[in-house]
Every structure is written in C-alpha cells, then in structure tokens.
C-alpha cells in the first residue's frame, strides 16, 4: 500500500477516534496522517474535520504543521488560514496571529487571494462575487466565508442561513460544505 494511502487511513482513524472520545489517539492518528501523506488534501481533511469539531487547540497544532510544510501550495495555506480564523471567531480564541499574516500576504490574482481579501474585510461581497465569475464552486466558498463574517458581526440567524445556502448547493465534496453540515448539525439547525 502506498504511504499516501496509509496516511489517509490514519485520517479516517483519527476521525473515528474523535467520535469515540479518544483524544490522545485522535491526535496521534492525525499527525501520522499528515506525516505519511504530506499532501494538501490530507491536511485539508484533518483541518476541516477539526474545524467542524470546534477543536481549536488541535487545529492550531495541525495548522502550524501545514503552514511550515514547504510542499503545501500557497492557495491551500490560504484556505487553511481562513478555516482556522473561522474557528477562532466561533470559539473566541484568537491568540494566534499566523493565519492573519497569511491573509495579509495573499495579494495575487488567484481566486484564493480574492477570497482572502474578502474574508479579511479588504474587498466587498459584490467585488468578490464579481471575481467568482458565476462559478458555482467559488460562490459556495464565498457563501461559507460570508457566514463567518456574519457570525463575527453577531448576526446568528443570517450566519445559519448562509451555512444552509452552502449546504443547499449540493457541493458535498467541498470541505466548506462538509464543515457547514457539521456546524448546522451541532446547532440543531439541519432541515
């Protein structure tokens, strides 16, 4: 079995350990997953799961592994930073400036740079939506991060609706949609 596949099996093992309440085993599995796989989708799987589980301390640890991994592309580090910031907003634990620094450095012409500028409050929703060019996938991501800007503004009903809009897209393979599903389930807001 290729090491990459073994790493992904450890990712699943970590999720199961989390759901079974086995915290120590969970982190061992997640660390093994990212050590063996060393690819963005494995980091994304771990970080999106930890974000949805609202496990800020574990997310911080794995985020920093991804942040310092030179094999992870800039666009993924931007996504990971936005997920981590979203969880910081939700948990009220904002003691790590690293994800904000990543967003400040996102100044290119890629979609992730535009999304980072929007999430950091440097770009309006209308401007970001225009850059999305009607692409449904980018609109789903924009809606997800809009939800967290609403959350930060104390607009909880609008936050819930924006998460529902992400879920209604049917783009279940997107990490943001999977996180929205978990957040809505946790709030008892699933339709």
């Amino acid at each position: 079995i290729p090491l990459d596949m073994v790493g992904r099996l450890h990712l699943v093992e970590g999720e199961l350990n989390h759901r079974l309440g086995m915290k120590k085993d969970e982190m061992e599995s997640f660390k093994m997953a990212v050590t063996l796989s060393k690819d963005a989708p494995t980091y994304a799987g771990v970080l999106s799961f930890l974000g949805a589980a609202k496990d800020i301390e574990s997310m911080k640890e794995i985020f920093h592994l991804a942040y310092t991994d030179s094999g992870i592309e800039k666009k993924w580090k931007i996504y990971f930073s936005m997920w981590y910031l979203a969880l910081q907003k939700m948990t009220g634990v904002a003691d790590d400036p690293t994800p904000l620094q990543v967003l400040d450095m996102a100044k290119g012409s890629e979609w992730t740079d535009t999304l980072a500028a929007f999430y950091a409050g440097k770009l309006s929703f209308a401007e970001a939506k225009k850059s999305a060019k009607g692409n449904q996938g980018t609109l789903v991501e924009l809606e997800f991060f809009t939800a967290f800007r609403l959350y930060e503004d104390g607009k909880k009903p609008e936050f819930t609706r924006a998460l529902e809009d992400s879920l209604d897209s049917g783009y279940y393979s997107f990490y943001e949609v999977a996180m929205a599903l978990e957040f809505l389930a946790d709030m008892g807001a699933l339709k």
Side-chain angles (χ1 to χ4, degrees):
I1 300 175
L3 281 181
D4 189 52
M5 181 56 73
V6 175
R8 290 180 192 227
L9 291 173
H10 280 285
L11 167 59
V12 173
E13 178 184 57
E15 291 175 3
L16 292 172
N17 284 333
H18 172 83
R19 296 193 190 282
L20 293 171
M22 300 166 63
K23 181 76 172 161
K24 181 177 177 273
D25 294 334
E26 166 192 350
M27 280 307 287
E28 286 178 16
S29 297
F30 285 148
K31 286 179 186 176
M32 185 63 72
V34 298
T35 299
L36 292 174
S37 288
K38 290 280 201 197
D39 66 0
T42 302
Y43 275 112
V46 173
L47 289 168
S48 63
F49 180 83
L50 291 171
K54 298 181 187 171
D55 186 345
I56 190 75
E57 290 305 315
S58 298
M59 189 175 199
K60 180 179 185 176
E61 188 173 345
I62 300 295
F63 169 80
H64 280 279
L65 291 174
Y67 174 74
T68 57
D69 189 330
S70 62
I72 302 300
E73 293 176 70
K74 174 188 137 188
K75 77 172 191 172
W76 284 106
K77 291 181 182 186
I78 292 171
Y79 280 120
F80 301 160
S81 295
M82 290 187 293
W83 298 344
Y84 184 29
L85 282 170
L87 187 59
Q88 284 183 353
K89 290 174 184 180
M90 187 170 260
T91 61
V93 177
D95 62 345
D96 186 353
T98 309
L100 283 173
Q101 292 167 352
V102 172
L103 296 192
D104 283 343
M105 292 185 293
K107 296 183 188 294
S109 59
E110 299 293 319
W111 166 245
T112 50
D113 297 309
T114 301
L115 196 57
F118 165 74
Y119 197 49
K122 297 175 184 175
L123 198 63
S124 71
F125 178 84
E127 292 168 314
K129 188 173 181 181
K130 184 178 176 185
S131 293
K133 299 179 182 160
N135 177 307
Q136 185 60 34
T138 56
L139 293 173
V140 168
E141 293 171 346
L142 184 58
E143 196 63 48
F144 179 83
F145 292 109
T146 296
F148 281 92
R149 285 190 53 187
L150 292 166
Y151 186 90
E152 187 176 12
D153 292 341
K155 298 177 179 177
K156 303 298 191 294
E158 293 89 344
F159 165 74
T160 302
R161 272 196 301 281
L163 288 180
E164 289 170 346
D165 288 346
S166 292
L167 198 58
D168 289 345
S169 72
Y171 276 60
Y172 299 112
S173 64
F174 274 50
Y175 297 106
E176 291 83 3
V177 175
M179 286 188 280
L181 177 64
E182 292 288 336
F183 289 134
L184 288 168
D186 188 52
M187 295 184 301
L190 281 178
K191 296 177 186 176

